[in-house]
Amino acid sequence: MRYDDSPPPPESASSVSPDRPWYTRRSTLAVAVAALAPTALAGWVLTQVLTGSGHDGQPPGPKALPASHTTGAGAHGGAGDAKASTTTPSPDASAPASASASAPAAPAKGPLAGRTVVIDPGHNTGNFKHTSEIDRQVDIGTNRKECDTTGTTTNSGYMEAEFTLDVSRRTRTLLESKGAKVVFTHDADRPWGPCIDERARIGNEAKADAVVSVHADGVSAGNRGFHIILPATVKGGAADTSKIVGPSRDLGERIAGNFARSTGSAPANYLGSGTGLVVRDDLGGLNLSTRPKVFIECGNMRDAKDAAQLTSPEWRQKAAEGITNGIVGFLGG
Ligand code: ZN
């Protein structure tokens, strides 16, 4: 269940030694870290980005399809937690009425007034009951790929699809409070999917100023931390990311910095060379997007320590804050 062919990098113990020490330091020096200006940490991440090795131009081999986004199915077979799909975790159903259909008369207030953000909750809690539908191949421009996947779970059965929906809803509440119009690709309002090509299309048709697809990873224990997936430059069929590669990187870097700061999580220790950023050319949701778009893998559901965070509502709120603040920064709010 890994994104790149190569084994997880014990990598250069250079600048910022791998994540482990960083975690440790964070916890022991919590006060000191808290005292660091937000920009300091953002700067740290940025520095890592700028000095980052490896993943640049051509990222992890597109051939080594990551299990969590292709066949995460295995994990689900036994989990059978369908009931979870009805959870309505957040009180946001009635969140500040986003610039409703009615009128331009009531201009939304806040730094994101007039901006549209599409949030894509990865997978769907019903996908595992609709394997024939989601296994159907769709055109992603450069290739063909499954319509959607089940996603992963924690060892105790908390589904990635529940996680993504919860973080997305929390993010929506925060974005709407800043005046944004928020569009979801789905909101537990359909039995499965949408397919990855439709997820991209929703962002395109909404003319989104930013699109974020929310996920959590499912790789072996000991692999920890978050990462942002940026679109590679691809061209083929309906895919042409040339116009979004630059702005998507900006969006991704801002989310990475803010996410690290708000959650206290470190960039992934198993890919991205410690930058928290990975470029990929094999994801239909990115390849088919014409709007600035990134994926965020908030943590590793298969690692007990990461899972303890991912299953915590308080932590998920911090995750939503980090994502939101990154979007606000990107949109210049
Ligand atoms: Zn996922």
Side-chain angles (χ1 to χ4, degrees):
M1 308 268 273
R2 181 155 298 130
Y3 286 119
D4 39 347
D5 325 291
S6 49
E11 311 204 69
S12 56
S14 58
S15 43
V16 173
S17 45
D19 300 316
R20 201 53 81 177
W22 195 66
Y23 276 120
T24 314
R25 258 183 293 143
R26 262 198 78 76
S27 52
T28 50
L29 299 180
V31 174
V33 170
L36 286 176
T39 45
L41 184 49
W44 175 79
V45 171
L46 198 57
T47 303
Q48 290 305 299
V49 168
L50 297 173
T51 59
S53 53
H55 74 276
D56 258 305
Q58 283 323 327
K63 300 302 175 253
L65 297 180
S68 67
H69 283 287
T70 53
T71 57
H76 281 287
D81 277 331
K83 52 190 182 277
S85 61
T86 47
T87 40
T88 324
S90 52
D92 50 18
S94 58
S98 58
S100 61
S102 43
K109 284 182 278 189
L112 299 186
R115 313 309 289 270
T116 298
V117 178
V118 169
I119 301 294
D120 176 37
H123 315 282
N124 181 318
T125 55
N127 276 0
F128 76 97
K129 290 189 288 187
H130 294 272
T131 50
S132 60
E133 289 93 337
I134 67 168
D135 285 346
R136 181 170 63 84
Q137 299 272 306
V138 297
D139 191 341
I140 65 166
T142 53
N143 202 348
R144 292 182 67 77
K145 206 165 173 181
E146 293 84 4
C147 150
D148 204 10
T149 54
T150 58
T152 187
T153 67
T154 63
N155 291 335
S156 59
Y158 179 59
M159 298 174 73
E160 180 188 355
E162 295 175 73
F163 170 83
T164 65
L165 195 56
D166 182 74
V167 171
S168 295
R169 286 170 168 166
R170 293 172 186 275
T171 303
R172 174 172 58 194
T173 301
L174 293 167
L175 288 168
E176 287 181 343
S177 74
K178 296 178 186 299
K181 175 186 177 185
V182 180
V183 175
F184 268 30
T185 55
H186 76 100
D187 192 6
D189 50 0
R190 46 179 298 160
W192 56 272
C195 294
I196 52 179
D197 55 339
E198 185 181 350
R199 291 175 189 261
R201 199 178 312 128
I202 291 169
N204 298 346
E205 291 178 354
K207 295 185 166 44
D209 295 297
V211 186
V212 178
S213 187
V214 180
H215 291 261
D217 213 348
V219 293
S220 55
N223 295 304
R224 296 198 59 190
F226 72 89
H227 67 278
I228 313 289
I229 303 173
L230 312 175
T233 300
V234 297
K235 191 159 189 173
D240 180 0
T241 59
S242 54
K243 293 198 176 78
I244 66 161
V245 164
S248 298
R249 174 169 283 270
D250 183 16
L251 173 63
E253 288 175 354
R254 289 173 185 274
I255 292 177
N258 281 282
F259 192 86
R261 178 154 54 87
S262 68
T263 62
S265 285
N269 64 2
Y270 57 98
L271 77 187
S273 305
T275 62
L277 300 173
V278 172
V279 179
R280 285 178 55 173
D281 63 4
D282 62 318
L283 296 176
L286 293 179
N287 288 5
L288 297 174
S289 182
T290 58
R291 317 300 300 180
K293 180 171 182 178
V294 299
F295 279 42
I296 179 167
E297 298 280 2
C298 295
N300 176 17
M301 300 198 94
R302 293 293 184 175
D303 177 86
K305 289 178 180 166
D306 270 14
Q309 297 179 321
L310 298 164
T311 54
S312 155
E314 293 76 22
W315 190 89
R316 292 197 297 270
Q317 184 64 26
K318 292 176 185 170
E321 287 166 6
I323 294 168
T324 299
N325 293 340
I327 293 170
V328 171
F330 172 70
L331 295 178

